Amino acid sequence: MTKAPAGLAALLAALAAIGPFSIDTYLPAFPEIGAALGATQIEVQQTLTAYMTTFAVMALWHGALSDAFGRRRVIIVTISLFGVASLLCACATSIEWLWIGRALQGMSAGSGMVVGRAVIRDVFDGPRAQRLMSRVMMIFGIAPAIAPMVGGALVLAFGWRSIFVFLALFSTLLAWMTWRHLPETLPPEARQSMSPLRLLGAYRSVLGSGAFLLLAFALAFNFNGFFVYVLSAPVFVIEHLGLGPGSFGWLFVPAVAGMMGGSWLSGRVAGRWSGRRSIVTGFAVMIVAVCANLIHAALAVPSLPWSVLPVGIYTFGMSLAMPSLTLFVLDLFPTRRGLASSCQSFTQVGVNAATAGLSAPLLWASPLSLGAGASVFLAAGLLCFAVWAGRGR
């Protein structure tokens, strides 16, 4: 193909967004969920851990399955299963049942993100792939901004269970749109065997590659510098900033504006800047953001807009670097792009899950500790990229 089908970027972005959307939408409902199910704040927080752990495990398989059976079929089946899991969450009568429902959601939610990246690389290469990846990320960036506002409105109007009914309806719509509009981009002759020995060899090749691990962890740590704020949003917005449950936009709108701006610039410079230049520039922007954040958190009380602007600057740099980093990962294994995308997602979500269960509860005590945590994640991402670049790959 030389030109993307109309609406391909929007559909791939919506499919990728269902995973993070199902995180951000129910954040405003945490207090009500805890009260309704008789659960503590930590127990409600563990619904995120249950979701992200199974998300990470199944991310290893979505791409391999799409390499064997085709991209379109895998997306339709898994997104439909996500809808069923959402209804189970809506009917939960205890926190344990909600953990189970969220775990089932996590098992199926990642296919759109994992397989969608492989679709992009099936369709395009070089600067055109970077442009389409950037367009998808720019549209995808809207989800974290509107999700908590949608969730907050649903909680106020219909209660927390309505959020999961909404997710079930949303996934049903996406499954239908995929069946109706997404072309199959992996022809039968290019598909890979699901033979256990061959599959084990492929996983060993990808996960045993030093170049892959360095790039994958650079992506994961960079994103985690922002994701720690997503996980801590109820505490950061309500307790530290002193705002109400309907005020999550103060955090997410600047963050998403930064994501969209960085993705837009990545698409604009594709073909004019090298991938490495885009990545290095993105890191420079993120460094400025974390330094400004630490200075404000150390010297001033939490306030608007100064406590949230650095988050938007950070996501701008993150989104400028991310498309090129992702394409570098996929290009390491041109015949196993789906599996490579799976392993990259597994790495990222595994780091995110550890943050949800361990790091975020330790860091959300103050804006300064959150800023310090983001700085450590960025430093780790920069180190991974620097080592990869120094290897001459």
Side-chain angles (χ1 to χ4, degrees):
M1 292 184 189
T2 58
K3 185 177 180 181
L8 178 61
L11 178 55
L12 292 177
L15 289 168
I18 197 167
F21 202 85
S22 61
I23 294 174
D24 299 341
T25 310
Y26 88 133
L27 291 177
F30 271 25
E32 185 172 330
I33 291 174
L37 300 181
T40 66
Q41 183 182 45
I42 296 297
E43 287 175 331
V44 177
Q45 180 77 16
Q46 294 309 312
T47 62
L48 275 174
T49 305
Y51 172 87
M52 295 174 63
T53 301
T54 56
F55 189 110
V57 172
M58 278 306 297
L60 275 175
W61 293 98
H62 294 312
L65 290 169
S66 77
D67 283 342
F69 301 112
R71 315 298 192 204
R72 186 170 175 270
R73 185 182 305 171
V74 170
I75 292 176
I76 291 172
V77 171
T78 52
I79 295 300
S80 299
L81 290 175
F82 177 88
V84 175
S86 299
L87 291 178
L88 178 60
C89 291
C91 298
T93 56
S94 68
I95 194 65
E96 290 79 12
W97 274 108
L98 189 58
W99 289 341
I100 293 170
R102 290 292 284 169
L104 293 174
Q105 278 189 318
M107 290 178 64
S108 51
S111 68
M113 182 183 300
V114 172
V115 181
R117 283 196 295 256
V119 168
I120 291 172
R121 197 57 189 82
D122 289 341
V123 173
F124 287 138
D125 57 13
R128 292 178 300 174
Q130 183 177 339
R131 290 191 191 99
L132 182 55
M133 188 79 74
S134 299
R135 285 176 60 197
V136 168
M137 288 186 60
M138 186 165 62
I139 300 169
F140 163 84
I142 299 172
I146 66 172
M149 291 185 278
V150 169
L154 287 171
V155 168
L156 292 175
F158 306 108
W160 67 270
R161 296 181 190 276
S162 65
I163 292 174
F164 295 104
V165 174
F166 168 80
L167 290 174
L169 294 173
F170 181 45
S171 61
T172 301
L173 174 63
L174 285 182
W176 178 83
M177 291 180 65
T178 301
W179 173 76
R180 191 84 170 89
H181 299 293
L182 184 68
E184 178 54 66
T185 60
L186 187 68
E189 61 272 17
R191 295 178 188 176
Q192 302 292 323
S193 170
M194 284 293 287
S195 162
L197 289 179
R198 292 188 63 180
L199 200 56
L200 179 61
Y203 277 116
R204 184 179 299 159
S205 175
V206 174
L207 293 173
S209 165
F212 169 83
L213 292 174
L214 289 168
L215 289 171
F217 276 108
L219 278 162
F221 288 132
N222 289 354
F223 183 76
N224 230 39
F226 162 61
F227 194 61
V228 70
Y229 279 89
V230 174
L231 294 169
S232 306
V235 176
F236 183 73
V237 171
I238 296 173
E239 296 184 15
H240 297 321
L241 295 179
L243 304 175
S247 302
F248 281 75
W250 280 106
L251 173 62
F252 287 101
V253 170
V256 171
M259 291 177 66
M260 295 178 68
S263 299
W264 174 84
L265 181 59
S266 175
R268 292 286 293 178
V269 301
R272 291 185 286 169
W273 290 9
S274 68
R276 292 196 183 201
R277 182 179 177 184
S278 296
I279 294 167
V280 170
T281 304
F283 271 113
V285 173
M286 286 186 281
I287 290 170
V288 170
V290 296
C291 289
N293 195 20
L294 285 173
I295 291 171
H296 181 267
L299 301 179
V301 297
S303 62
L304 295 174
W306 310 113
S307 293
V308 296
L309 282 179
V311 179
I313 298 170
Y314 185 94
T315 58
F316 182 96
M318 179 189 75
S319 298
L320 176 58
M322 191 175 287
S324 294
L325 281 170
T326 302
L327 291 173
F328 282 159
V329 169
L330 296 180
D331 287 346
L332 291 172
F333 304 94
T335 63
R336 284 282 193 179
R337 293 189 188 114
L339 189 142
S341 181
S342 275
C343 292
Q344 187 266 309
S345 292
F346 171 79
T347 304
Q348 177 169 323
V349 180
V351 172
N352 295 161
T355 299
L358 301 173
S359 302
L362 296 176
L363 294 173
W364 67 37
S366 72
L368 182 59
S369 58
L370 275 172
S375 301
V376 170
F377 287 127
L378 174 60
L382 179 58
L383 177 62
C384 289
F385 174 72
V387 173
W388 173 82
R391 289 161 58 120
R393 297 300 182 107

